[in-house]
Amino acid sequence: QVQLVQSGPEVKKPGASVKVSCKASGYTFTDFYIHWVRQAPGQGLEWMGWINPNSGGTNFAQRFQGRVTVTRDTSISTAYMELSRLTSDDTAVYYCARFHGDYGLGWFDPWGQGTLVTVSS
Amino acid sequence: ETVMTQSPATLSVSPGERATLSCRASQSVSSNLAWYQLKPGQAPRLLIYGASTRATGIPARFSGSGSGTEFTLTISSLQSEDFAVYYCQQYNNWPQTFGQGTKVEIK
């Protein structure tokens, strides 16, 4: 079945970077964009950006531009999201999700199980 | 950006009862709206897209309606596994945005 499996929880200090992986299975990895969404404690869902696994092209929400990098390794059907210059406000569960839609607008199915990133000194 | 407002924040319902969740958009999103179910420690689950189309494998007790700025998710007869947090998401206007969620809890 179609599945996205993410890497495990991370604890980072302020100012550090974190890299989260998202391994796809059950479908052709390059056929669907992968998006990243996060949820801070007690908050709603926040869209971060996407990668086109076929071309490697990316696009991000304005508030993350310059601080987030998303890459992929098509040989192992895996996408990576790296967030730099972490602050306590980046403490959140980070999700990857397979995208359905056009021009960056659409719905997400399925989602990864989430990766908790905790930023603490 | 389009602000999505969900109400109520918490809904207390007895098993077997109907639950009605609302989602309002700050501007028209046509029918480009999805609903998701989130449970702690689990991957979010797509329930509805296109405002009213059930995703694959979603039970018929889940239904979505609305267009423009007002949307509703109805769970006709709550089962124990339905107690969770539900989010709406618009994908008509850039950037796509989510509501703050409605928690459906056991009464």
Side-chain angles (χ1 to χ4, degrees):
Chain A
Q1 75 281 21
V2 176
Q3 196 173 7
L4 299 175
V5 177
Q6 299 182 222
S7 49
E10 303 266 9
V11 179
K12 296 293 182 180
K13 294 192 182 303
S17 298
V18 68
K19 192 171 186 177
V20 178
S21 68
C22 170
K23 182 172 177 59
S25 61
Y27 73 99
T28 302
F29 179 62
T30 51
D31 282 352
F32 294 86
Y33 285 33
I34 293 288
H35 286 232
W36 291 87
V37 176
R38 75 177 187 180
Q39 184 175 33
Q43 303 298 310
L45 296 167
E46 180 178 28
W47 176 78
M48 298 180 68
W50 54 254
I51 184 167
N52 176 347
N54 191 39
S55 68
T58 57
N59 196 7
F60 305 112
Q62 190 167 12
R63 66 171 293 180
F64 297 106
Q65 289 181 6
R67 208 161 66 89
V68 66
T69 304
V70 178
T71 56
R72 91 291 190 214
D73 184 340
T74 57
S75 69
I76 55 172
S77 300
T78 300
Y80 303 91
M81 187 282 298
E82 184 170 18
L83 189 62
S84 62
R85 304 194 301 276
L86 294 168
T87 72
S88 57
D89 290 342
D90 294 315
T91 293
V93 177
Y94 289 77
Y95 296 100
C96 62
R98 191 177 77 163
F99 174 74
H100 300 258
D102 294 304
Y103 305 107
L105 291 171
W107 63 94
F108 307 113
D109 181 47
W111 296 55
Q113 83 278 16
T115 296
L116 176 61
V117 175
T118 303
V119 183
S120 174
S121 55
Chain B
E1 66 180 39
T2 303
V3 177
M4 307 301 291
T5 303
Q6 291 186 242
S7 61
T10 303
L11 187 60
S12 298
V13 186
S14 299
E17 289 188 341
R18 174 187 295 260
T20 302
L21 289 66
S22 295
C23 176
R24 174 177 292 179
S26 61
Q27 60 184 293
S28 177
V29 299
S30 187
S31 294
N32 295 314
L33 186 109
W35 290 93
Y36 302 91
Q37 178 192 68
L38 269 73
K39 294 181 180 179
Q42 295 187 19
R45 180 188 185 195
L46 172 70
L47 301 174
I48 301 283
Y49 63 93
S52 61
T53 302
R54 272 191 304 277
T56 302
I58 300 304
R61 64 180 181 272
F62 291 92
S63 63
S65 63
S67 66
T69 61
E70 300 283 344
F71 300 88
T72 300
L73 174 70
T74 301
I75 311 172
S76 60
S77 176
L78 271 160
Q79 306 298 302
S80 57
E81 62 267 29
D82 300 335
F83 293 96
V85 182
Y86 293 83
Y87 290 90
C88 61
Q89 174 226 346
Q90 70 80 20
Y91 52 92
N92 191 72
N93 307 317
W94 183 272
Q96 47 221 325
T97 48
F98 295 87
Q100 288 299 302
T102 290
K103 180 180 181 180
V104 177
E105 64 177 23
I106 300 174
K107 187 174 181 179

